[in-house]
Amino acid sequence: MGKRVALVLAGCGVFDGSEIHEASAALVHLSRGGAEVKIFAPNIEQRDVVNHLKGSPTEEKRNVLVESARLARGNIQDLAELKAGEFDAVIFPGGFGVAKNLCSWAVDGKNCTVNEHVSSTLQAFHSAKKPIGLCCISPVLAAKVFPGCEVTVGQDKNVDGRFPDAETASAIAELGCKHICKNVNESHVDKANKIVTTCAFMCKAPLHEIFDGIGTMVQEVLKLA
């Protein structure tokens, strides 16, 4: 029987929601791994709505659950309804929506607050010793909720201009967590906390390398489940 995995989204689109390629990659790798997946998102208003063609905010209002339903092909539930006891693992793709909608990292950095349902979901899986997978910017959720954990967002220096957000590693360290430097096609496993992370689009890399890195994260999550 395949593992039961919850996937948590933050909207639809890299600049104000979940990164679409990351969400899709996670779903493909989960499917290949024989997992049974259910998708969730918080029923809240987005912090902002970005015109992805112009890269600028608009006055429009959108709902995170409604927008996430685009990625889920309509088959999605309110995150408030997620019960950790019904799943073997949980995975969070990245995208600015994680830092805007699931928490306030985009505005407050290490002093951010985490959405109550996101925090309770993470804590429920952690307490049950069930694995948590996170990619791109979403490892900051674990860094905020689980002081002392180990995560990766890639490198802690902007190596060859490929890691423009390398300062995120320093912020994670300031939260009392250990940042582990990894390449884009790798993931890190914090065995003590069962947290698996990979940098994905935190690195400027070809899409297939990002896809492969997410694959290693999913594989490790399924092994721990």
Side-chain angles (χ1 to χ4, degrees):
M1 182 177 175
K3 302 298 182 182
R4 300 163 300 169
V5 180
L7 187 83
V8 180
L9 298 178
C12 182
V14 59
F15 298 129
D16 58 13
S18 287
E19 211 297 320
I20 293 170
H21 297 295
E22 291 179 15
S24 180
L27 288 166
V28 170
H29 287 296
L30 285 166
S31 176
R32 184 169 287 147
E36 177 188 339
V37 182
K38 289 190 178 178
I39 304 175
F40 298 84
N43 186 11
I44 57 175
E45 187 175 290
Q46 290 184 190
R47 178 177 287 273
D48 63 12
V49 177
V50 175
N51 179 324
H52 279 58
L53 181 62
K54 296 180 178 179
S56 57
T58 72
E59 295 300 316
E60 193 176 345
K61 302 293 184 184
R62 294 191 185 185
N63 177 280
V64 174
L65 179 59
V66 172
E67 291 304 298
S68 298
R70 294 174 179 272
L71 279 169
R73 297 172 61 86
N75 190 8
I76 194 169
Q77 293 173 258
D78 188 335
L79 183 60
E81 299 173 6
L82 194 161
K83 297 179 177 61
E86 296 177 356
F87 295 91
D88 300 304
V90 64
I91 288 177
F92 289 76
F96 277 102
V98 171
K100 292 179 175 180
N101 304 324
L102 302 192
C103 71
S104 63
W105 187 277
V107 175
D108 302 318
K110 66 182 184 188
N111 299 315
C112 72
T113 55
V114 180
N115 172 273
E116 61 175 318
H117 295 303
V118 173
S119 180
S120 63
T121 294
L122 288 167
Q123 290 170 341
F125 278 86
H126 187 260
S127 296
K129 301 188 185 315
K130 294 178 178 181
I132 299 166
L134 309 117
C135 65
C136 194
I137 191 62
S138 64
V140 302
L141 297 172
K144 189 67 181 181
V145 176
F146 307 119
C149 71
E150 298 177 357
V151 299
T152 188
V153 289
Q155 300 290 325
D156 56 9
K157 295 181 178 62
N158 190 8
V159 181
D160 298 327
R162 299 174 75 226
F163 294 89
D165 301 305
E167 71 277 1
T168 304
S170 299
I172 286 169
E174 289 173 14
L175 285 170
C177 298
K178 186 174 182 180
H179 179 266
I180 309 297
C181 291
K182 290 285 183 178
N183 291 323
V184 66
N185 59 347
E186 300 176 314
S187 57
H188 176 69
V189 181
D190 176 348
K191 294 181 180 178
N193 291 293
K194 290 194 171 182
I195 295 171
V196 188
T197 51
T198 189
C199 69
F201 278 98
M202 294 292 275
C203 177
K204 290 185 176 180
L207 183 57
H208 70 278
E209 292 184 11
I210 293 165
F211 182 88
D212 291 345
I214 293 170
T216 67
M217 180 266 286
V218 170
Q219 289 166 16
E220 293 295 343
V221 166
L222 294 178
K223 280 182 195 174
L224 290 171

